[in-house]
Amino acid sequence: MDVELLRMITHDRGIAYAMVAPDLHILATGGALAVLDCEPPLADCTGAALVDIFPELIGCESALDDILRGKLPRLEFALVNRDTAAGDIVYLTMVVLPDRDGQGEIQGLFFLVQDVTDRGRMVQKLAQRRNELSLTRRELEIANVELQRLSDTKSQFVSIAAHELRSPLTTISGYLEMLLEGDLGDLAEAQVEALRVVDASAQRLLGITDELLDVARIESGRVDLSLIPVDLTGLIRQVATELRPRIEAKSLALVLSLPAAAPAALCDVTRSQQILGNLLSNAVKYTPRDGRIEVRLTSAEEEGFLEVVVADNGSGISPEDQDRLFTRFFRAESALQTDATGAGLGLYIARALVTLHSGRIWLESELGKGTTFHVTFPMA
Amino acid sequence: MLRISKKVCLLGDFAVGKTSLVRRLVYDRFDDRYLSTIGVKVSRKAVAVSGDRGPVDVNMMLWDLAGSEEFTRMRASYLRGAAGAVLVCDVTRLETLEDLAGYVLNLREVSPGAEIVLAANKVDLVDDHHELLERLDEVALALGARYYLTSALTGDQVEVLFRDFAVLLLSSDKSARL
């Protein structure tokens, strides 16, 4: 190779080179010698053993021999790290090539070293970030498993506690019913009134334990649906009838906008009744006296689904609370300001049950103006 | 004194502590900041051991190779000429132990006769060694390697591992035994 041309190319590219004899001693050096900050300086290395200056080549003697014998075209080490006297890291690329004479015969080795520190630093930053992200993700996965384990333990506890509470509550409720119906003798008016208060509290406790049991079943994946074709208009009327006493007690206007003939939905009767009951019961709870509730059944925008709409002109829910409304034990601020009681589990359960039906549940609400819940069920 | 040089590669997933082991061995220092190695960093450690014909200075050229996946392709050229490899895993991440078999395959393709040893690193971070030792027994047996419970932080077993490995490299070096 033309020596002047070689000098220009290597200087231009920041490459230092060494011509190496077959016995691996350096014959000459050139190019951008300053790229390699070593002791002795590369310019003074003529006569030195190549591996003394580049210990990275120790152990590679057989590969160098293969290059000398024409069996290996090149040997390259990318991104070799070297510490500088200042404590920084420089990155070098080292390449060994055969040095051929004019006849193409291999007369030695041609060793090139290029400073690629700028690229190396970028690669290092990328690798560092990727590795740190990977470690963080792993830590999060472990934390997630632990959280899931704790959640399972909590669900198990809730399930056991709810079961244990339910049995005595059922007994209490049964005896209260017998007392109130006079099966155990006549009671004074004041005694009946007192027992009615006790009965209302017992029913409320039973409702909460049932909700807790549902939460435990949902979280452990133990809710089995028995999907059959169901006439939702009939189901809506049934739920409305059950709530009639509470609706009348608050002088609410309940409007049922139900089509004369609607396709059947594919759903679990008991669980669908529970979903609709929850939505309508909430509407009754949070709508003031003389308010208005409307229940509509229509085709949903999504093909193959029916949509039930429960709209009230009650207290409404703030945008911040709407985001958390379907989480466990959450009660909206507007709900807390009323006399209405609840554990904050109804909508959480409703959403889980709707999802199990492959449906969707969402709401629109404005404080002081009312709330509209939408729930979809697949058509049979 | 007879002096032989051996190329020893450190292999294992990223962040298992390969660089820290070398730093502890060569400089007797530890830095708990994690700095990903890219490419390769070559360090030198001479270990004096007893050979058949007297003391031998085993000059180990320690090739600390990047563990990140993106360097897998270039790893083959780095492994060329390796007399041995220290396989490093992180005992707090047992998947890094399972991954070692892949590194051994890479090594064997380039240097079939290379000796191997296993450094189960960061042992200072584990209290219960029972499950770890069971897995280490299995993996070490499958790989045909001795293992050491090391800690670059405390220095536990680091020198012992490299000294024993130097003896192993010497014993497998035919030229040194002649």
Side-chain angles (χ1 to χ4, degrees):
Chain A
M1 188 183 284
D2 181 284
V3 173
E4 183 55 23
L5 179 63
L6 179 64
R7 195 189 64 77
M8 282 167 58
I9 293 172
T10 51
H11 262 286
D12 185 50
R13 298 291 174 94
I15 299 170
Y17 68 86
M19 318 287 278
V20 182
D23 67 357
L24 303 183
H25 278 77
I26 295 172
L27 298 171
T29 58
L33 293 171
V35 301
L36 194 67
D37 175 25
C38 63
E39 188 54 44
L42 200 52
D44 302 336
C45 288
T46 303
L50 181 66
V51 293
D52 286 346
I53 310 303
F54 299 100
E56 291 87 357
L57 293 173
I58 291 176
C60 299
E61 292 83 356
S62 66
L64 299 178
D65 194 46
D66 284 347
I67 295 173
L68 283 167
R69 288 192 288 147
K71 291 169 82 179
L72 186 67
R74 62 190 275 136
L75 182 64
E76 177 173 342
F77 299 129
L79 296 169
V80 174
N81 300 210
R82 275 200 174 186
D83 294 327
T84 66
D88 298 323
I89 296 174
V90 293
Y91 297 98
L92 305 170
T93 291
M94 296 178 181
V95 182
V96 186
L97 299 166
D99 180 15
R100 297 177 188 273
D101 62 17
Q103 281 71 50
E105 293 297 317
I106 297 172
Q107 57 182 5
L109 297 173
F110 198 52
F111 181 79
L112 302 168
V113 56
Q114 183 177 21
D115 187 333
V116 289
T117 300
D118 288 344
R119 184 170 74 86
R121 285 186 179 149
M122 277 195 290
V123 173
Q124 198 281 330
K125 268 186 192 167
L126 280 172
Q128 178 91 17
R129 191 138 322 158
R130 190 166 36 245
N131 292 350
E132 283 174 351
L133 277 173
S134 182
L135 291 171
T136 305
R137 190 183 60 198
R138 186 180 177 280
E139 281 171 17
L140 288 173
E141 282 169 359
I142 290 170
N144 197 33
V145 168
E146 178 60 9
L147 282 173
Q148 187 57 51
R149 192 188 64 76
L150 290 171
S151 176
D152 290 347
T153 306
K154 181 218 63 192
S155 294
Q156 209 175 355
F157 168 77
V158 167
S159 175
I160 292 167
H163 266 295
E164 292 302 314
L165 282 171
R166 206 181 191 294
S167 301
L169 273 172
T170 307
T171 309
I172 291 167
S173 188
Y175 274 96
L176 282 169
E177 195 179 332
M178 287 162 69
L179 283 165
L180 286 166
E181 288 182 357
D183 294 348
L184 302 176
D186 292 338
L187 297 172
E189 189 64 24
Q191 288 172 318
V192 170
E193 277 308 305
L195 285 177
R196 283 195 203 289
V197 173
V198 175
D199 186 46
S201 295
Q203 293 308 319
R204 209 180 126 213
L205 276 174
L206 270 172
I208 291 172
T209 52
D210 285 345
E211 284 186 333
L212 287 172
L213 283 169
D214 275 343
V215 169
R217 283 190 200 104
I218 287 164
E219 290 182 351
S220 59
R222 286 188 290 113
V223 178
D224 294 322
L225 300 182
S226 175
L227 299 176
I228 56 167
V230 174
D231 171 21
L232 283 181
T233 59
L235 210 58
I236 292 167
R237 284 201 177 90
Q238 194 182 331
V239 170
T241 304
E242 284 169 12
L243 289 168
R244 181 70 58 191
R246 285 171 55 193
I247 293 167
E248 287 173 354
K250 289 179 82 172
S251 304
L252 300 172
L254 176 65
V255 179
L256 301 181
S257 302
L258 307 175
L266 187 66
C267 54
D268 181 292
V269 177
T270 310
R271 293 304 190 179
S272 303
Q273 200 170 4
Q274 188 177 354
I275 295 163
L276 297 173
N278 178 271
L279 295 182
L280 196 52
S281 168
N282 278 353
V284 173
K285 253 192 231 179
Y286 301 115
T287 303
R289 287 189 69 81
D290 304 320
R292 184 177 188 276
I293 298 170
E294 183 182 1
V295 183
R296 295 192 298 273
L297 176 65
T298 62
S299 292
E301 276 185 18
E302 300 143 275
E303 201 178 330
F305 281 82
L306 292 166
E307 182 174 333
V308 179
V309 180
V310 180
D312 66 56
N313 62 349
S315 50
I317 302 157
S318 70
E320 307 82 65
D321 283 355
Q322 286 176 37
D323 293 339
R324 300 174 59 197
L325 205 61
F326 295 102
T327 54
R328 279 173 303 179
F329 303 111
F330 179 76
R331 297 198 68 208
E333 189 59 37
S334 51
L336 293 171
Q337 286 168 3
T338 67
D339 298 336
T341 56
L345 290 171
L347 285 174
Y348 171 76
I349 293 167
R351 187 177 67 168
L353 294 176
V354 169
T355 305
L356 282 172
H357 279 88
S358 307
R360 286 196 306 130
I361 185 168
W362 72 100
L363 77 151
E364 294 138 14
S365 187
E366 199 175 334
L367 273 177
K369 291 197 173 171
T371 303
T372 302
F373 276 93
H374 304 258
V375 58
T376 62
F377 292 94
M379 287 182 193
Chain B
M1 187 192 293
L2 180 63
R3 184 181 173 88
I4 60 167
S5 287
K6 294 289 178 187
K7 176 174 174 176
V8 174
C9 293
L10 281 94
L11 298 172
D13 289 349
F14 68 88
V16 294
K18 300 182 290 295
T19 305
S20 294
L21 283 173
V22 173
R23 193 181 286 131
R24 171 59 74 193
L25 179 74
V26 178
Y27 305 106
D28 196 22
R29 284 206 313 258
F30 179 79
D31 187 343
D32 62 1
R33 283 173 303 179
Y34 170 54
L35 188 70
S36 301
T37 302
I38 59 161
V40 58
K41 169 83 188 292
V42 181
S43 305
R44 197 191 299 248
K45 176 71 180 180
V47 178
V49 297
S50 298
D52 294 343
R53 294 181 299 155
V56 180
D57 211 12
V58 180
N59 179 35
M60 286 192 284
M61 301 306 297
L62 302 168
W63 282 56
D64 175 14
L65 302 182
S68 310
E69 277 177 16
E70 66 265 31
F71 298 103
T72 305
R73 207 160 48 83
M74 61 171 78
R75 201 172 287 130
S77 70
Y78 295 146
L79 293 172
R80 187 183 289 277
V86 179
L87 308 167
V88 187
C89 70
D90 174 351
V91 294
T92 68
R93 293 187 288 148
L94 280 184
E95 66 273 18
T96 63
L97 173 63
E98 315 298 336
D99 290 344
L100 292 179
Y103 291 94
V104 174
L105 278 178
N106 290 343
L107 176 70
R108 295 278 181 246
E109 281 171 14
V110 182
S111 303
E115 300 288 348
I116 53 173
V117 66
L118 203 163
N121 196 34
K122 305 191 189 181
V123 73
D124 54 285
L125 297 177
V126 175
D127 294 326
D128 181 8
H129 290 176
H130 184 69
E131 187 196 354
L132 168 66
L133 291 176
E134 275 186 8
R135 284 304 296 135
L136 273 170
D137 283 338
E138 287 170 18
V139 174
L141 184 66
L143 297 178
R146 276 188 75 174
Y147 70 83
Y148 294 75
L149 299 174
T150 61
S151 166
L153 172 69
T154 64
D156 271 3
Q157 293 287 300
V158 177
E159 281 212 33
V160 175
L161 180 151
F162 282 95
R163 194 185 59 232
D164 289 356
F165 198 49
V167 171
L168 181 63
L169 292 174
L170 181 64
S171 68
S172 64
D173 185 321
K174 293 186 182 113
S175 62
R177 281 184 290 168
L178 289 173

